[in-house]
Amino acid sequence: MIPSVLPTYNRAPLHFVKGEGAWLTEADGRRFLDLGSGIAVNALGHAHPALVKALTDQAQNLWHVSNLYHIPQQQALADKLVEHTFADTVFFTNSGTEACELAVKMARKYFYDKGQPERVEILTFDGSFHGRSSAGIAAAGSEKMVKGFGPLLPGFVHLTFGDLDGVTNAITEKTAAILIEPVQGEGGIRPVPDVELKALRQICDDHGLLLILDEVQCGMGRTGRLFAHEWAGITPDIMMVAKGIGGGFPLGAVLATEEAASGMTAGTHGSTYGGNPLGCAVGCAVMDHIADPTFLAEVNRKAALLRQRLEGLVAAHPDVFEEVRGSGLMLGLKCKAPNLDVVKAGYDNLVITVPAADNVIRLLPPLTLTEDDIAEAFTRLDAAASQVEAV
Ligand SMILES: Cc1ncc(COP(=O)(O)O)c(C=O)c1O
């Protein structure tokens, strides 16, 4: 008999009932160190007092109004995002994949309005992940995601990750945009080197294309800058954001330049919940913390400490791990042992990590991780690795 919850997930036998900082409590009382943050969502950890206050204060006043009316919390969050990024304008969604939908629509509408309606194609890369909506799966294009779900949304050209010549060769009079994650998350924590991001920006400029960055996983302070592309000194035309921006409340956004957003006039897009007062009140509190340079400096300091410990872990367990990769607190351990075995051994040793493609386990801890948490992370991952070795 089919379970009452549609069985689309392979769930671990864990039932968390409470969270605090980087710690999760299981229904049976065990305390787990959370190095996954709900897959890069709980950027400020669990139950951060400022977020609890923002949510509960807002909940006592107004939960929801339609986007038929002005929403002050939405305006405030958009202003903060515009102030701290390349963007001139923001549309709020509830998730990353909805941000993908709009990014694609926005790019196509831009060229349509410029009198180039044939420019509909978007270049994407293998190993990418842009969510599970029709545009998201068509953009990623992997067999695992698209099989059985045809006909797919047309207009995506899938290229080899890291092959810049392939990008140039793929550009035709139909090309509208390049869509890329500055650091692939689901694909196995694969950062795009700064020189490559710069080159992609240049290719877009040379060919009049839009650069769309998917910072759903790598954005919001995760790599130690507010957004990951800042390390490369470039800016996109359109950017997808979600996960960390709501700190655990469902919230996403598309940020864009005035030029790239020029086609999105009244009536061209909308959302019932996107930009709702609850989500945006929380988003404002998240931004107030993460956009603070002192906070980001701390992320970088802790990232260096964690990375150092992980390098030691890899050296101590050469049969289990191959290398540390990633940027800031978006780290991956490329495994030699099956990554799912390592994640499972982590559960046994009360530490949460997240599997990814390419036999990697992801460490996406709360950005508020403490030095004690880092020491605990090492101890627990070390025990997990020893358990894998013993089998
Ligand atoms: C890079 C990236 N883009 C898009 C998405 C989709 O986001 P959501 O699950 O909120 O729809 C994800 C989710 O993991 C992601 O990592």
Side-chain angles (χ1 to χ4, degrees), residues 199-280:
L200 290 175
R201 176 69 271 177
Q202 192 61 51
I203 291 170
C204 286
D205 291 346
D206 293 347
H207 294 83
L209 311 180
L210 298 174
L211 179 62
I212 307 173
L213 295 183
D214 181 344
E215 294 232 15
V216 166
Q217 194 162 146
C218 63
M220 291 305 294
R222 181 62 40 201
T223 69
R225 300 291 285 265
L226 183 55
F227 289 102
H229 66 264
E230 294 171 24
W231 290 112
I234 58 133
T235 56
D237 301 291
I238 300 172
M239 180 168 72
M240 297 155 50
V241 179
K243 290 186 181 279
I245 192 173
F249 197 94
L251 182 63
V254 173
L255 280 62
T257 62
E258 184 169 8
E259 173 70 8
S262 58
M264 302 308 294
T265 50
T268 54
H269 198 62
S271 165
T272 296
Y273 283 122
N276 147 304
L278 289 171
C280 289

Side-chain angles (χ1 to χ4, degrees), residues 2-13:
I2 193 165
S4 58
V5 175
L6 190 72
T8 58
Y9 298 104
N10 282 316
R11 295 175 196 267

Side-chain angles (χ1 to χ4, degrees), residues 95-97 129-131 181 186 214 216-217 243:
S95 67
T97 205
F129 184 81
H130 304 293
E181 296 156 78
E186 305 299 309
D214 181 344
V216 166
Q217 194 162 146
K243 290 186 181 279

Side-chain angles (χ1 to χ4, degrees), residues 41-169:
V41 168
N42 305 101
L44 297 185
H46 298 278
H48 189 288
L51 302 198
V52 173
K53 182 170 183 335
L55 183 64
T56 50
D57 284 356
Q58 185 58 44
Q60 274 158 18
N61 285 308
L62 184 64
W63 287 29
H64 177 79
V65 284
S66 164
N67 279 305
L68 291 171
Y69 316 108
H70 290 278
I71 301 176
Q73 298 75 16
Q74 186 182 127
Q75 183 65 54
L77 181 54
D79 288 346
K80 285 178 201 291
L81 288 164
V82 166
E83 181 193 337
H84 289 285
T85 69
F86 73 97
D88 301 313
T89 189
V90 183
F91 182 93
F92 292 103
T93 67
N94 309 287
S95 67
T97 205
E98 286 169 74
C100 180
E101 295 291 320
L102 173 55
V104 169
K105 282 177 72 174
M106 189 182 277
R108 290 180 173 174
K109 187 67 164 37
Y110 173 79
F111 287 106
Y112 180 88
D113 283 6
K114 297 276 174 216
Q116 296 177 283
E118 70 285 357
R119 283 199 183 263
V120 294
E121 279 184 3
I122 298 181
L123 310 184
T124 64
F125 297 89
D126 64 28
S128 65
F129 184 81
H130 304 293
R132 299 293 193 144
S133 61
S134 291
I137 61 172
S142 68
E143 197 192 343
K144 184 179 150 207
M145 261 184 292
V146 304
K147 196 173 173 195
F149 297 115
L152 296 178
L153 182 68
F156 295 95
V157 178
H158 304 105
L159 304 174
T160 305
F161 182 81
D163 177 10
L164 284 178
D165 289 341
V167 175
T168 316
N169 293 336

Side-chain angles (χ1 to χ4, degrees), residues 352-370:
I352 308 283
T353 60
V354 184
D358 201 23
N359 206 34
V360 162
I361 65 167
R362 273 176 286 178
L363 277 63
L364 308 159
L367 306 179
T368 50
L369 193 76
T370 65

Side-chain angles (χ1 to χ4, degrees), residues 362-380:
R362 273 176 286 178
L363 277 63
L364 308 159
L367 306 179
T368 50
L369 193 76
T370 65
E371 284 188 34
D372 285 350
D373 294 337
I374 291 171
E376 258 322 306
F378 176 79
T379 307
R380 291 175 186 222

